[in-house]
Amino acid sequence: MQNLIPVELPLVYRLLNVGGTCLVSAAHEGQEDVMPAAWNTALDIDPGLLTVVVDKSHYTRRLMDESRLFGIALPTVSIAREVMALGSVSKNDDPAKLEKSGAEFFKFEGWDMPFVKGCAGYIVCRARDEQDIEKRYDLFVGEALAAWADPRIFDGRHWLYEKAPKDLSTLHYVAGGRFYGIGQTIDI
Amino acid sequence: MQNLIPVELPLVYRLLNVGGTCLVSAAHEGQEDVMPAAWNTALDIDPGLLTVVVDKSHYTRRLMDESRLFGIALPTVSIAREVMALGSVSKNDDPAKLEKSGAEFFKFEGWDMPFVKGCAGYIVCRARDEQDIEKRYDLFVGEALAAWADPRIFDGRHWLYEKAPKDLSTLHYVAGGRFYGIGQTIDI
C-alpha cells in the first residue's frame, strides 16, 4: 500500500493549483467508474471547493448524478498508461473497463468510491446542489470532505517536484496521447 | 514585437489543458488592469468556453463586471518575475501597479484590453451572462472570441515544450513565490 498522509481541507487548492489532469471516481449501488478529466480547477480555499467538467455521455457522470459524491485524484507520470486506458474506453461500451485498464484500485475507509493507486493526491468531494450549472455546462462544484497526498511529492503543504523522482510528477494532458510533466522549479 | 499566429477557436481548450496559471486582463472607460489567476480551466470545445475565478476584491474584477470582456493569457517562465509583481500588488492600493510591474503591455487591434508580452497564448473572451455564478463563486464563464499563440511554443494545434527553450514553458503556480514549469514529455 502506498503511504499517504492527510491534507488539511483549506490546503486542498494547492493540490489543484498546478493544473494537473485528474481522475474522477464515482460509485452508486454497486456500480463504479473512474475517468480522466483535464478540466478541473480550484474554486475556493475554505471551504475547499473545486470544479470539474464531466460530460453527460460518461458512465461516471450518471454515478455522480445519483450519489452526489465523487473522488478527484492527481495521477503521476508512473501511471500515465493506465490513465490513458481509463480515458480511451467508456464503461458504457465495455463493462470490464476498470479491470482491463491495468490500474490498481483501492478505497479509503468510510468512502465508497474506487481510487487508483499511484496518484499524488486524493480528494473526496460532495457535489454542491448546483444542478442548473451541471446541466448547462457539465460543470460540477465539489466540496472537499477529506484529502490525502503521497508525501514523496506533496508534504501536506507544498509540492516537492524539485526533490522527488520525475515519475512522481503530476500529468498534464493536451491531446493525442501526449502528456506533459513538471520539470522546472522557478523561485521568485 | 513577439511573433504571434491565430488559434482557431475550437482549439483554444488546448491552450488551457496543461493547467498553466493565467493572466486576466480587463479595461473599462480608460481604466485597465492585469492580474494572475491560477484557477482557470477549459469548459467546452465548440463554442470555446473557459472558466476563471476572479475574487470581488480585485480591481480587475470591477472592470470585468462593467465591460463584460476580458483577456486570458498564458505567461511563460521568461516573465515569472513580472507575473509575480502583477499578483503581489492590487491596483486598489497602487494605481501605478502596471507601470511598476516591469511587464510590457500591448493590445490586439480591435480589442481594448492590455496584454502582457512574453505569453505563450492569448485569448479574448466575452463573459457569458452568468451573474448568478459570478456572484456566488466569483467564477466567470468566458466565450473565446479570438485567440493567438507564440508559434515557438504552440503551433496552433499542439504544444511544443519538447523542442522549445525551457523559458517558454507555461508557469504553474502553487504558493509562496514558487512556480513550476513543464519539463517532461510522456507519449502513450
Side-chain angles (χ1 to χ4, degrees):
Chain A
M1 176 65 190
Q2 191 181 5
N3 179 38
L4 295 172
I5 56 169
V7 176
E8 291 173 42
L9 299 183
L11 293 172
V12 162
Y13 79 96
R14 292 190 180 181
L15 288 172
L16 301 165
N17 261 23
V18 287
T21 294
C22 75
L23 289 171
V24 185
S25 303
H28 183 65
E29 294 184 349
Q31 299 301 309
E32 301 184 336
D33 201 11
V34 180
M35 58 168 271
W39 298 354
N40 69 83
T41 192
L43 180 63
D44 208 344
I45 293 176
D46 192 4
L49 299 183
L50 57 85
T51 64
V52 63
V53 178
V54 178
D55 192 74
K56 292 171 191 73
S57 62
H58 296 300
Y59 193 95
T60 309
R61 169 67 179 268
R62 260 185 294 152
L63 303 177
M64 295 166 75
D65 282 338
E66 294 290 340
S67 71
R68 309 301 296 163
L69 288 173
F70 58 95
I72 295 287
L74 289 159
T76 62
V77 169
S78 65
I79 58 166
R81 187 168 299 279
E82 291 78 3
V83 172
M84 198 67 202
L86 289 167
S88 303
V89 179
S90 170
K91 198 166 165 175
N92 291 316
D93 300 324
D94 186 350
K97 167 191 155 180
L98 296 191
E99 295 77 354
K100 291 180 181 169
S101 69
E104 293 183 73
F105 300 91
F106 72 99
K107 287 183 183 174
F108 289 101
E109 206 184 313
W111 301 107
D112 178 31
M113 59 188 73
F115 281 106
V116 174
K117 286 186 194 175
C119 293
Y122 298 92
I123 309 163
V124 170
C125 301
R126 178 185 293 124
R128 283 256 174 134
D129 189 20
E130 295 286 0
Q131 276 92 342
D132 188 45
I133 304 176
E134 291 169 18
K135 280 189 193 126
R136 197 148 71 252
Y137 292 115
D138 299 318
L139 184 79
F140 280 76
V141 176
E143 178 169 349
L145 304 179
W148 301 265
D150 183 327
R152 294 174 299 168
I153 183 71
F154 187 87
D155 68 7
R157 302 188 66 81
H158 299 104
W159 287 98
L160 307 171
Y161 294 106
E162 66 283 4
K163 298 182 212 171
K166 279 200 149 193
D167 70 351
L168 292 183
S169 167
T170 43
L171 283 171
H172 302 252
Y173 188 64
V174 183
R178 172 161 287 185
F179 295 89
Y180 291 102
I182 298 295
Q184 304 179 53
T185 303
I186 303 103
D187 286 309
I188 302 293
Chain B
M1 176 65 190
Q2 192 181 6
N3 179 40
L4 295 172
I5 57 169
V7 176
E8 292 174 42
L9 299 183
L11 293 172
V12 163
Y13 79 95
R14 293 190 180 180
L15 288 172
L16 301 165
N17 262 22
V18 287
T21 294
C22 75
L23 289 171
V24 185
S25 302
H28 183 66
E29 294 185 349
Q31 300 301 308
E32 302 183 335
D33 200 11
V34 179
M35 60 169 267
W39 298 354
N40 69 84
T41 191
L43 179 62
D44 208 344
I45 293 176
D46 192 6
L49 300 183
L50 58 84
T51 63
V52 64
V53 178
V54 178
D55 191 76
K56 290 171 192 74
S57 63
H58 296 301
Y59 192 95
T60 308
R61 168 68 177 267
R62 261 185 292 152
L63 303 177
M64 295 167 76
D65 282 339
E66 295 290 340
S67 70
R68 308 302 295 165
L69 288 173
F70 59 95
I72 295 287
L74 289 157
T76 63
V77 169
S78 65
I79 57 166
R81 187 169 300 278
E82 291 79 2
V83 172
M84 198 68 203
L86 289 167
S88 305
V89 179
S90 169
K91 199 166 164 174
N92 291 317
D93 300 323
D94 186 351
K97 166 191 155 181
L98 295 190
E99 295 77 355
K100 290 181 182 169
S101 69
E104 292 183 73
F105 299 92
F106 72 100
K107 287 183 184 176
F108 290 101
E109 207 185 312
W111 301 107
D112 178 30
M113 59 189 75
F115 281 106
V116 174
K117 286 187 193 174
C119 293
Y122 298 92
I123 310 163
V124 171
C125 301
R126 178 185 293 124
R128 284 254 173 134
D129 189 18
E130 296 286 0
Q131 276 91 341
D132 189 44
I133 304 175
E134 291 168 18
K135 281 189 194 126
R136 198 146 71 253
Y137 292 116
D138 299 317
L139 184 79
F140 280 75
V141 176
E143 178 168 350
L145 304 178
W148 301 264
D150 183 326
R152 294 176 298 168
I153 182 72
F154 187 87
D155 68 7
R157 302 189 66 80
H158 300 105
W159 287 98
L160 307 171
Y161 293 106
E162 65 284 5
K163 299 181 210 171
K166 280 201 149 191
D167 70 351
L168 292 183
S169 166
T170 43
L171 283 172
H172 301 253
Y173 188 63
V174 184
R178 171 160 288 186
F179 294 90
Y180 291 103
I182 298 294
Q184 305 180 52
T185 304
I186 303 105
D187 285 311
I188 301 292

